[in-house]
Amino acid sequence: MAKGKLEIKKMATAGSVESNDILIMISQGEGDIEIELESVVEKQFGEDIKNVIRETLIEEGITDAKVIAKDKGALDFTIKARVRACVQRGVEA
Amino acid sequence: MNYLNNIDVRTVKVLEQSEFPSKSQPKNKLIENAEELIRGLGLKDNAVVSFHHHLRNGDKVLNTIMKEIQRTGVKGLTLVASSLFPVHAEIIPLLQDGTIENIVTSYISGDLAKAISYGELKGNIIMQTHGGRARSILNGEIEIDVAFIASPSADKYGNISGVNGPNSCGTLGYVIADSIKAKTVVSVTDCLVDYPNYPADITEDYVDYVLLIDSIGRKEGIVSGTTKVTKDPIGLKIAKDTLKVMEATGLLKDGLSYQSGAGGISLAVTAFLRDYMIENNIKGSFASGGITGYLTNMLEEGLFSSLFDVQCFDLEAIESLKRNPNHIRMSASQYGNSEVSAVVDNLDIVILGATEIDTNFNVNVTTGADGVLMGGSGGHADTAAGSKVSIIVSKLFSSRIPLIKDRVDVITTPGTTVDVLVTERGICVNPLRTDLIEAFKKAKLDIIDIKDLKAYSESIMGKPEPIEKTDRIIGLSQYRDGRIIDYIYQVKK
Amino acid sequence: MNYRSLLFIPGNNPGMLQSSDILGADGIIIDLEDAVALTEKDAARILVREYLTTFEPRKGVFIRINPLDSPYFYDDLDVIKDLKITGIVLPKAGVEPMTKLEEYLDEHDLDLEVIPLVETAMGLETALEIVQVSDRIIGLFLGAEDLTLDLGAKRTKESKEIEYARSRIIAAAKAFGIQAFDTPFTDTDDIEGLRIDTKNAKDLGMTGKTAISPRHVDEINKAFSPTEEEIDYALRVVEGVKAANEKGLGAFSLDGKMIDAPIIKRALNLLKTSGDYKEEYDELLK
């Protein structure tokens, strides 16, 4: 269920580059969602990971953001959690 | 037909006393200049040169010699190296300029491996097993023109010892076949000792030249101080479950023969096995393969009566090899040559790793998750074939890199010789081993169908995209008996 | 359920969380308190929530929330209230924090177990009162690191300085028939030290022990599991009682020792832990 539309007000990060984690950096976008991903499993799961990031952003009410993600093999639950935490931090003024 | 070709002995010419020989002299084998030696060898285009990997990532010999050969301008060489490590990335330009055209090896990692996967080698790479390499050299399938033997110590007549010298590495098991069969054998050393050098792994009668250079290696790259058991809780959980599997096979009893790799989980299995053997008062027969301090301790504790050592992994192993007569040097042929009687055929249990395993139990340790070369059989396929029970230990979830596939990228070890898979999320038994399935049932050991474990893994990680490959075959995965079990493809950049 | 071992899992560590169900512990305590940096409290809560809503919940999942006197107490509870977990570990337990927690749980009608973590002098001296605040409490957990700090005691491996605290916790727990969980052994590499420490705690009457390292779990489980000899003895006691009852004897002796009610009760308790208990034994103490 999508929340009301929210806006990224400041640059924020969440997560880490430890194994099984992902570091998400979020900042204001240029009209849509732009994702830059670097992953240890880019070839196998790169598209999946980007989709999870995008869907989670939309669930959180974000449609305009630039995301830079450094993935160390995080599972989906971790990716979602880091995106949510990052959004929470980024929408606070 | 006999030795004399059935000639009439009356026709044989007998030497005149004036023609009688003078006293024999020691051969002059010592050369102190690499360039002089290489020029003197007169290598031709398409020659075959060989090296061993006992100095592992500390080796300087292969780079030094190959660059010297490059200067002579010969092209199209076949490099037969028992293994190649990141340190050997220095020879990438020799692939590009055509000095090296083909490579035959049992393990390859680092940037050189990457370069080959991306198509830098003009010819092909043949990935052998340790036993298969010895077999192919001894039976003449591969004819080596010159074997360059990195020698931690040598005397000037070519008695080579791996345990003496500042760059000691222990046994020289992987290069015995080369020393026997190569047309020319060169000992390359930085530690010339007084005659006779002993205990000699290779004796002077097999050696043609002794080349003295400044340094054959970097000690810290050759052996580790003390190899340590993993502290990773998942690795320990797998090791613990592996001990239960071994117990359920019924093989943990007096006379046990055992081998494991030197990876963290495998070492942990060995550590748990040690406790088990002490607790249950079990006296094993032998342990084999690459030897670590863990195994030498077990030898000294009487848990094994002997060790067959093809490669020393740490300083403790080298020390033990020097002083313990029950710590035995083993050649790669004795280790795993399928055409002769080999130690692997008397193994009860072997513990092995896997980068990937498929639902037919085929194992890949040759390429990584991205399809790029990053390993090789080593003794994997040899021991899997020879042992009564081969057990693969691996994490199911290692940073989202999938372990179980429908088909592994490159088959290193055929599934018909792989018996059990132990992961942190379940134990799988090859359906071919109905005897083990029965035994595990009796031992109340839970097992899971490998297809179900794969489905579970994919339910959590997702199904990976297939690796993008080109149509170009860059090499072959060769089974220990010389037959080819898979192609190796060039990877898209 | 009787927990021999409770393993701490750092709440902001995805690798540990995703493996937390296979490390052999009877229960886990996902930690939002000390294992999580102040700047990551929000991220840890979200991660724990995602983990617990994604994966099939196992039995024995506890969450250690932040203490009442921190700014995170209610934030933590607001996330937890929607999660399928077994219970909560309440740090810096005292009568007031326990009361506030109980109020929150009542208000939201939550069926959660609680393990008060006693780690202050006041908490220790009021342990009996804390337990009486709530029926949700299934055990008391001694936290020796913070407690010794509060007491001004020197923390040592021998743990003589916490003998009183251990005994006090054990007495308070036993008085209400709940579990007593011992403080974790903090030297993760010293398995022999762990063995001695666990034995000391068990001999005083602790019924389980917490761990901060997965490598401690096996040793703890082993220490709190009855040995073969103990099980054999308990079964012989039970058989003896049955025989004596049949013969109409009030008391009997085994191996030259009088078997009385406390011994029978202990044998029955042991058989419950080992899984060898049978329903027919219910009759034996009547």
Side-chain angles (χ1 to χ4, degrees):
Chain A
M1 178 116 43
K3 295 182 182 173
K5 201 165 155 36
L6 286 175
E7 199 183 316
I8 297 295
K9 296 209 177 71
K10 63 173 187 216
M11 205 184 97
T13 66
S16 75
V17 288
E18 302 284 316
S19 188
N20 299 301
D21 205 345
I22 183 169
L23 180 69
I24 303 277
M25 284 167 278
I26 201 164
S27 55
Q28 285 163 348
E30 290 163 8
D32 58 1
I33 293 172
E34 187 191 330
I35 301 167
E36 200 177 293
L37 172 71
E38 193 183 295
S39 169
V40 290
V41 286
E42 201 157 340
K43 283 182 180 170
Q44 297 92 333
F45 294 111
E47 281 313 305
D48 288 357
I49 294 169
K50 282 185 194 170
N51 285 338
V52 171
I53 294 174
R54 181 170 289 112
E55 281 162 20
T56 310
L57 284 172
I58 292 168
E59 268 179 41
E60 291 292 319
I62 302 292
T63 52
D64 182 9
K66 180 170 166 51
V67 174
I68 298 173
K70 287 205 169 86
D71 171 55
K72 295 284 176 184
L75 297 179
D76 285 356
F77 84 90
T78 302
I79 300 170
K80 286 184 200 167
R82 296 321 190 190
V83 171
R84 290 194 210 286
C86 203
V87 168
Q88 216 172 73
R89 290 170 182 184
V91 295
E92 284 167 5
Chain B
M1 190 79 162
N2 65 15
Y3 177 56
L4 295 174
N5 252 344
N6 291 336
I7 50 169
D8 180 353
V9 288
R10 283 170 302 187
T11 66
V12 172
K13 180 184 177 285
V14 173
L15 287 186
E16 296 296 324
Q17 292 221 10
S18 63
E19 296 172 312
F20 272 16
S22 55
K23 287 171 76 75
S24 76
Q25 297 296 316
K27 303 277 184 296
N28 187 8
K29 299 180 182 177
L30 186 64
I31 299 175
E32 299 192 34
N33 180 314
E35 188 188 347
E36 182 193 329
L37 171 90
I38 301 297
R39 299 269 170 202
L41 288 173
L43 283 171
K44 304 230 163 51
D45 286 353
N46 306 316
V48 178
V49 294
S50 87
F51 296 86
H52 70 76
H53 73 278
H54 286 279
L55 305 183
R56 301 202 285 170
N57 203 36
D59 175 51
K60 289 184 184 169
V61 169
L62 188 144
N63 290 343
T64 306
I65 296 292
M66 288 312 296
K67 283 191 225 167
E68 206 55 59
I69 293 175
Q70 181 191 28
R71 273 180 219 122
T72 67
V74 296
K75 301 288 177 198
L77 296 180
T78 294
L79 170 64
V80 181
S82 55
S83 291
L84 292 157
F85 285 85
V87 68
H88 299 124
E90 281 182 34
I91 63 164
I92 293 173
L94 280 70
L95 273 48
Q96 291 155 339
D97 72 10
T99 308
I100 297 170
E101 187 167 322
N102 296 293
I103 291 179
V104 183
T105 189
S106 306
Y107 176 98
I108 184 166
S109 62
D111 285 346
L112 175 62
K114 276 186 201 154
I116 293 168
S117 276
Y118 290 131
E120 301 276 8
L121 188 66
K122 212 171 129 198
N124 291 299
I125 181 164
I126 310 298
M127 297 298 297
Q128 300 187 306
T129 73
H130 282 327
R133 180 180 193 274
R135 180 199 54 78
S136 67
I137 293 170
L138 291 173
N139 73 6
E141 201 174 290
I142 292 178
E143 289 181 32
I144 298 168
D145 292 304
V146 187
F148 295 94
I149 301 180
S151 310
S153 64
D155 59 39
K156 60 181 177 176
Y157 302 110
N159 289 296
I160 303 169
S161 171
V163 295
N164 303 328
N167 286 309
S168 62
C169 61
T171 168
L172 295 176
Y174 293 128
V175 76
I176 303 300
D178 310 44
S179 73
I180 294 170
K181 293 292 279 194
K183 287 172 200 146
T184 303
V185 174
V186 180
S187 161
V188 183
T189 191
D190 56 3
C191 177
L192 197 64
V193 298
D194 286 342
Y195 185 86
N197 185 24
Y198 63 90
D201 295 270
I202 293 160
T203 52
E204 57 187 309
D205 45 331
Y206 291 99
V207 177
D208 301 297
Y209 299 102
V210 177
L211 173 65
L212 183 62
I213 62 174
D214 289 342
S215 169
I216 61 164
R218 241 175 0 93
K219 187 80 189 174
E220 60 275 21
I222 300 171
V223 283
S224 43
T226 304
T227 18
K228 286 227 167 70
V229 168
T230 181
K231 284 187 175 180
D232 166 39
I234 310 300
L236 288 171
K237 146 102 180 146
I238 295 171
K240 224 169 2 181
D241 288 347
T242 304
L243 183 69
K244 287 183 201 154
V245 166
M246 296 200 289
E247 190 180 19
T249 63
L251 293 166
L252 297 190
K253 55 188 185 202
D254 283 351
L256 168 74
S257 54
Y258 171 81
Q259 179 168 336
S260 86
I265 302 178
S266 300
L267 275 181
V269 174
T270 305
F272 286 134
L273 174 65
R274 172 183 171 270
D275 295 346
Y276 183 92
M277 290 175 80
I278 291 172
E279 210 168 290
N280 294 281
N281 197 23
I282 292 168
K283 303 265 174 271
S285 164
F286 70 86
S288 56
I291 299 298
T292 62
Y294 268 95
L295 289 171
T296 62
N297 285 342
M298 289 173 78
L299 176 68
E300 268 154 43
E301 289 166 338
L303 298 175
F304 290 111
S305 63
S306 59
L307 300 180
F308 281 115
D309 187 348
V310 72
Q311 154 106 70
C312 296
F313 276 129
D314 55 25
L315 295 169
E316 291 165 55
I318 298 175
E319 281 311 306
S320 162
L321 183 68
K322 273 190 202 171
R323 56 157 207 269
N324 193 331
N326 298 332
H327 185 151
I328 303 158
R329 288 169 169 79
M330 168 173 77
S331 74
S333 175
Q334 187 191 0
Y335 178 24
N337 182 348
S338 59
E339 289 174 1
V340 297
S341 170
V343 167
V344 294
D345 291 328
N346 278 302
L347 262 181
D348 287 336
I349 296 175
V350 65
I351 309 295
L352 296 164
T355 310
E356 296 175 330
I357 184 165
D358 64 29
T359 46
N360 292 318
F361 284 81
N362 296 310
V363 171
N364 173 21
V365 288
T366 302
T367 55
D370 51 5
V372 174
L373 288 164
M374 52 115 264
S377 172
H380 201 286
D382 299 313
T383 50
S387 58
K388 289 198 184 81
V389 179
S390 60
I391 302 172
I392 306 292
V393 292
S394 183
K395 289 188 194 181
L396 187 66
F397 298 120
S398 177
S399 296
R400 203 168 178 155
I401 294 165
L403 172 69
I404 309 174
K405 299 186 131 186
D406 290 323
R407 165 66 156 86
V408 292
D409 182 42
V410 172
I411 297 176
T412 314
T413 298
T416 45
T417 64
V418 173
D419 301 314
V420 185
L421 167 68
V422 184
T423 76
E424 77 277 24
R425 297 273 166 188
I427 297 162
C428 307
V429 183
N430 191 326
L432 297 172
R433 293 301 301 265
T434 47
D435 57 328
L436 288 180
I437 294 171
E438 204 51 45
F440 291 3
K441 236 180 234 163
K442 268 193 198 137
K444 295 204 170 92
L445 203 63
D446 282 334
I447 57 177
I448 174 170
D449 189 307
I450 194 164
K451 292 189 184 99
D452 295 339
L453 192 58
K454 173 173 169 286
Y456 170 76
S457 150
E458 284 176 358
S459 75
I460 285 164
M461 296 200 292
K463 204 173 164 70
E465 291 290 324
I467 301 156
E468 278 196 84
K469 297 284 181 80
T470 68
D471 293 338
R472 186 184 160 218
I473 293 172
I474 56 162
L476 301 169
S477 177
Q478 185 186 54
Y479 193 54
R480 56 197 298 252
D481 61 7
R483 292 184 293 171
I484 302 305
I485 51 173
D486 213 347
Y487 297 114
I488 302 169
Y489 287 91
Q490 185 176 327
V491 177
K492 271 193 187 159
K493 270 213 171 165
Chain C
M1 153 128 198
N2 185 69
Y3 300 102
R4 296 167 299 175
S5 53
L6 287 170
L7 173 66
F8 274 103
I9 303 288
N12 202 33
N13 184 329
M16 283 297 285
L17 277 173
Q18 70 200 38
S19 303
S20 60
D21 57 329
I22 54 163
L23 298 173
D26 288 345
I28 58 168
I29 303 172
I30 299 175
D31 191 11
L32 295 177
E33 195 206 10
D34 289 351
V36 178
L38 287 180
T39 53
E40 296 298 325
K41 296 289 185 191
D42 57 336
R45 269 195 297 270
I46 296 172
L47 183 69
V48 168
R49 186 184 65 203
E50 286 297 338
Y51 169 67
L52 289 171
T53 50
T54 306
F55 290 88
E56 194 85 0
R58 54 161 278 169
K59 284 186 193 126
V61 176
F62 293 84
I63 293 180
R64 176 162 76 171
I65 57 175
N66 285 281
L68 177 65
D69 61 7
S70 77
Y72 314 111
F73 182 77
Y74 287 106
D75 289 346
D76 289 348
L77 288 175
D78 286 345
V79 166
I80 285 173
K81 70 176 170 16
D82 300 323
L83 300 174
K84 280 187 207 151
I85 58 168
T86 310
I88 291 170
V89 172
L90 173 70
K92 289 197 195 158
V95 173
E96 197 203 347
M98 191 57 232
T99 308
K100 296 283 184 202
L101 177 60
E102 180 72 357
E103 279 168 18
Y104 185 95
L105 297 177
D106 282 343
E107 196 183 316
H108 293 87
D109 195 19
L110 294 176
D111 183 20
L112 291 175
E113 297 177 351
V114 176
I115 301 174
L117 168 51
V118 176
E119 50 187 344
T120 61
M122 183 57 87
L124 184 64
E125 290 304 318
T126 56
L128 270 176
E129 293 157 52
I130 296 172
V131 180
Q132 292 173 74
V133 173
S134 168
D135 289 340
R136 292 184 168 94
I137 297 173
I138 61 139
L140 283 174
F141 167 11
L142 171 66
E145 305 311 310
D146 283 349
L147 177 67
T148 46
L149 209 64
D150 201 23
L151 293 173
K154 184 173 186 245
R155 188 77 179 98
T156 67
K157 241 181 204 180
E158 292 68 36
S159 283
K160 277 222 174 313
E161 70 280 6
I162 59 164
E163 242 172 50
Y164 164 73
R166 275 175 166 165
S167 295
R168 177 118 201 178
I169 289 291
I170 290 161
K174 301 294 165 86
F176 288 93
I178 59 173
Q179 274 203 260
F181 300 110
D182 195 39
T183 191
F185 186 71
T186 51
D187 185 343
T188 54
D189 288 334
D190 183 4
I191 300 299
E192 187 52 35
L194 167 74
R195 197 169 296 156
I196 293 165
D197 188 54
T198 309
K199 185 180 181 321
N200 290 342
K202 191 197 170 203
D203 288 350
L204 285 172
M206 286 286 177
T207 62
K209 190 171 172 71
T210 53
I212 53 167
S213 166
R215 282 183 289 145
H216 287 185
V217 168
D218 278 357
E219 205 53 56
I220 292 172
N221 283 347
K222 204 156 68 182
F224 286 102
S225 303
T227 63
E228 292 286 330
E229 291 83 41
E230 286 170 331
I231 295 170
D232 282 351
Y233 181 75
L235 286 171
R236 287 173 59 213
V237 168
V238 168
E239 289 309 314
V241 178
K242 268 162 71 179
N245 284 355
E246 276 161 26
K247 286 182 201 155
L249 294 171
F252 72 103
S253 66
L254 188 65
D255 304 338
K257 201 184 160 203
M258 262 328 257
I259 302 300
D260 52 9
I263 294 181
I264 299 169
K265 202 167 177 187
R266 188 186 290 243
L268 292 175
N269 280 341
L270 186 138
L271 293 175
K272 276 181 190 164
T273 346
S274 74
D276 293 292
Y277 193 84
K278 293 186 196 138
E279 237 171 78
E280 56 177 285
Y281 298 163
D282 287 351
E283 300 295 317
L284 293 183
L285 271 178
K286 285 176 186 162

